[in-house]
Amino acid sequence: MRFRLTDDQRALRDGVRGLLARRFDGEALRAAVDSPGLDRVLWRELGAAGFFALRVPEADGGVGLGLPEAVLAFEEAGRVLLPGPLVATHLAAGVVAGAAEGEAIVTGVDRDGLVEWLEEADVVRGDAAGAVALKSVDPLTPLHRAPAAGARAADPVAVLLTAAEQLGTATRACELAVQHARTREQFGRPIGAFQAVKHLCAQLLVRAETARAAVYAAAVTADPVDIAAARLLADEAAEQGARDCLQVHGGMGFTWECEVHLLLKRAWVRARRGGGGAEGEELLAADLRA
């Protein structure tokens, strides 16, 4: 099968990337870490650009596109570590007033009771009564846990869009590792000339591209089993990719000023969302037994 993007899809991806480059670059990321909180002006700009209403029918005021286009947009969001309950607000578009336009920030309670950005949200889908704050490893993803956790399975679309965010983060980790390997010198040579570093960078690329193929394919089939496989591969690509990027950066990768630790922390938090880990593995195992 061929998954070459159409001209319209490339234009959508480039448009989202351009918007985020203007409004949420590296300096904005650092500012967000230093002063946590959601930028509601940016949130409304995303709404005006159709980010949340991509899959809402045109007859209802949306963009009228499909799951593959949403995956491309969320991949770009993951690439720059855009904060906020993006998936929950996207799923609420057309259902919760103001979500599609970015006027309302929507979050939700997952099956484990985890709630992201509870205090910033205008609408919470699910029962968050009695939720208590948790210590989040990611400075840009505040977490609460609600006691009333449900037993329902995760929404496959939410699982896939999380995988797309993880794919974007894995891609960014690969870019940063290669950039550093080309410019950092030791013993009079770029460190990318050394075989061990070459292998790390190659593994970063292989994992990211394998995850990309799986995520794009799942966006086309929308099959829950394909989505589960894509999510597992994307989680691994993001987490292990950030670890390997940290290894390429060496000692400076552990410093607060370096962006790499933020990639790893966001990947860890996203991997805890419903639909990943053991839940995805059980779904794949059940399909194999069928």
Side-chain angles (χ1 to χ4, degrees):
M1 298 177 68
R2 298 179 65 185
F3 295 103
R4 180 173 295 180
L5 301 182
T6 66
D7 290 342
D8 288 343
Q9 287 172 334
R10 282 194 294 270
L12 171 66
R13 180 197 60 193
D14 294 345
V16 174
R17 181 174 296 187
L19 170 62
L20 295 177
R22 293 191 302 273
R23 291 290 284 108
F24 199 76
D25 58 9
E27 291 185 6
L29 174 63
R30 280 293 168 192
V33 171
D34 294 336
S35 301
L38 285 182
D39 183 347
R40 286 184 176 264
V41 174
L42 173 56
W43 204 262
R44 286 192 290 271
E45 286 186 36
L46 290 170
F51 185 91
F52 301 116
L54 277 172
R55 296 185 307 117
V56 176
E58 290 185 87
D60 297 329
V63 182
L65 297 177
L67 196 52
E69 288 76 21
V71 160
L72 294 175
F74 274 79
E75 181 184 349
E76 293 302 316
R79 184 172 171 272
V80 299
L81 297 182
L82 186 66
L86 299 166
V87 173
T89 302
H90 178 90
L91 293 177
V95 179
V96 174
E101 298 81 12
E103 295 295 334
I105 295 172
V106 182
T107 191
V109 183
D110 75 7
R111 64 180 298 167
D112 295 322
L114 287 177
V115 193
E116 298 181 6
W117 292 96
L118 177 61
E119 294 180 352
E120 293 274 359
D122 300 306
V123 177
V124 181
R125 304 182 78 183
D127 185 4
V132 296
L134 300 177
K135 180 69 173 179
S136 177
V137 68
D138 178 18
L140 287 176
T141 310
L143 295 172
H144 284 72
R145 187 182 295 279
R152 57 184 175 80
D155 183 338
V157 175
V159 176
L160 182 60
L161 294 182
T162 296
E165 288 184 291
Q166 293 283 59
L167 172 58
T169 296
T171 301
R172 181 59 177 161
C174 185
E175 292 170 348
L176 288 175
V178 171
Q179 179 185 25
H180 187 74
R182 285 173 173 168
T183 57
R184 174 68 172 173
E185 292 189 359
Q186 284 290 345
F187 308 109
R189 304 169 65 189
I191 63 171
F194 299 108
Q195 189 176 52
V197 177
K198 288 180 182 179
H199 285 178
L200 282 174
C201 291
Q203 289 165 1
L204 274 158
L205 180 62
V206 169
R207 279 192 297 266
E209 290 306 309
T210 300
R212 187 184 314 282
V215 171
Y216 286 10
V220 173
T221 66
D223 181 85
V225 176
D226 292 343
I227 290 174
R231 172 66 185 277
L232 290 170
L233 287 169
D235 282 346
E236 180 187 12
E239 291 185 277
Q240 191 58 50
R243 287 177 180 272
D244 285 351
C245 182
L246 190 68
Q247 184 74 16
V248 171
H249 279 72
M252 72 177 298
F254 289 90
T255 63
W256 183 257
E257 292 75 18
C258 189
E259 181 182 330
V260 182
H261 72 97
L262 296 174
L263 298 175
L264 181 56
K265 291 171 181 176
R266 184 68 61 85
W268 277 338
V269 170
R270 284 202 209 102
R272 295 285 296 172
R273 288 181 190 164
E279 187 176 345
E281 291 169 352
E282 288 293 336
L283 181 57
L284 288 172
D287 182 70
L288 290 172
R289 289 193 299 265

